[in-house]
Amino acid sequence: TDIIQTRLLSKQYGSATAVSNVSMNVKQGEIYGFLGPNGAGKSTIMKMLLGLVKPTGGQIELFGERLLVDSIDHLKRIGHLIETPVFYERLTAEQNLELHGEYMGYYNPQAAREALELVELLGVENKQVRQFSLGMRQRLGIARAISTRPELLILDEPINGLDPEGIHAMRILFRRLRDEWGISLLISSHLLSEIEQVADTIGVIHHGRLIREVSMDTVRAST
Ligand code: ADP
Ligand code: ADP
């Protein structure tokens, strides 16, 4: 089954084309990676999937249902990190998750702790976020996104700016989210080296178009 399906999805900003006729599917339990240079249109596609940007053409189906302008029910089923995450700096990591959970209408302290454990922030959950490094913030952003138990996680450039150790931790985290939590992931990156080792499928985005799709199973099997 498909978690995400787009058909001829397009976005124009005035006369500028940000996304052009993108048709793609993300299967349940899959890690799908968008690969493309800055300005290729990756964020715009993600924002359209999240309902933050209105498409100028094409269709989106999420969880098998057509996305309409006023659809909101599906939002609880999607976690996301699309910009540098913003936190309440003087609240603790755990308090940030609690506030988010209450806002989303689902707060489960156990799920929040499991999320913190998964991103390796259990132990510092009572520290104020203002003491956190970039990598810790990125991981806290992911913990926040998964603390409400979404079925789909959309992450825009989650590895950007991390050191090699942070990148390694992220890779392990993505696989655990897929294998242990059963979450489907859509991840973007401008670097092949970041995405090739985590994605099951890579969609290459260039000038707003999906120019190529590669199944990594096929690649891994032949090497
Ligand atoms: P990527 O995520 O691959 O870096 P983006 O989706 O951010 O690419 O951008 C795709 C193109 O759309 C770029 O040329 C960008 O400048 C343009 N763009 C993105 N958002 C807007 C906006 N709000 N208004 C006008 N142009 C935009
Ligand atoms: P990223 O590189 O993470 O995709 P950008 O720097 O392209 O982000 O965009 C940052 C924000 O500015 C986004 O919300 C995007 O919609 C907006 N934006 C990007 N390009 C333009 C543009 N040419 N005109 C207006 N807004 C833009």
Side-chain angles (χ1 to χ4, degrees):
T1 41
D2 289 331
I3 292 278
I4 299 174
Q5 187 181 97
T6 73
R7 285 293 166 264
L8 302 173
L9 185 63
S10 300
K11 179 67 187 178
Q12 292 276 139
Y13 285 108
S15 61
T17 302
V19 174
S20 178
N21 293 328
V22 169
S23 299
M24 47 97 63
N25 302 50
V26 177
K27 293 191 281 290
Q28 182 161 19
E30 176 177 48
I31 301 179
Y32 190 106
F34 275 147
L35 174 67
N38 285 329
K42 306 180 297 294
S43 303
T44 304
I45 298 171
M46 290 176 156
K47 287 175 185 168
M48 289 193 283
L49 294 171
L50 290 165
L52 299 171
V53 163
K54 192 169 174 278
T56 46
Q59 284 161 27
I60 297 172
E61 271 190 19
L62 295 175
F63 311 109
E65 282 182 32
R66 175 95 176 263
L67 188 69
L68 303 171
V69 194
D70 53 356
S71 310
I72 48 168
D73 286 346
H74 67 283
L75 291 177
K76 288 187 179 174
R77 302 168 72 178
I78 308 177
H80 66 83
L81 197 62
I82 54 163
E83 317 261 309
T84 308
V86 177
F87 301 103
Y88 296 97
E89 296 285 325
R90 294 195 175 261
L91 296 185
T92 67
E94 196 166 29
Q95 286 169 335
N96 269 276
L97 297 198
E98 187 177 339
L99 267 184
H100 175 72
E102 281 169 0
Y103 171 71
M104 294 290 283
Y106 175 93
Y107 182 64
N108 177 331
Q110 180 63 26
R113 285 190 84 80
E114 280 175 29
L116 286 166
E117 182 179 21
L118 190 65
V119 301
E120 292 176 353
L121 288 177
L122 212 54
V124 292
E125 76 274 20
N126 292 320
K127 280 207 160 83
Q128 290 182 336
V129 172
R130 64 196 179 103
Q131 301 173 38
F132 280 21
S133 68
L134 175 71
M136 289 164 83
R137 283 160 187 274
Q138 207 67 359
R139 284 183 283 137
L140 182 59
I142 291 175
R144 181 170 62 185
I146 61 173
S147 65
T148 53
R149 290 282 165 94
E151 294 156 65
L152 168 67
L153 196 53
I154 296 182
L155 305 173
D156 193 4
E157 297 275 0
I159 302 171
N160 209 4
L162 299 184
D163 59 19
E165 206 176 311
I167 293 173
H168 183 67
M170 276 294 173
R171 282 202 191 116
I172 292 171
L173 173 60
F174 298 152
R175 293 208 187 101
R176 290 189 65 191
L177 287 172
R178 179 191 61 190
D179 299 338
E180 294 171 29
W181 288 47
I183 296 179
S184 310
L185 288 96
L186 177 62
I187 299 172
S188 71
S189 174
H190 58 283
L191 292 174
L192 176 63
S193 57
E194 287 181 355
I195 207 91
E196 67 177 349
Q197 291 189 45
V198 314
D200 300 310
T201 306
I202 292 180
V204 183
I205 309 286
H206 195 67
H207 292 311
R209 292 180 176 275
L210 178 64
I211 57 169
R212 207 163 160 221
E213 240 180 19
V214 183
S215 162
M216 296 307 287
D217 288 345
T218 320
V219 175
R220 285 184 195 122
S222 65
T223 50

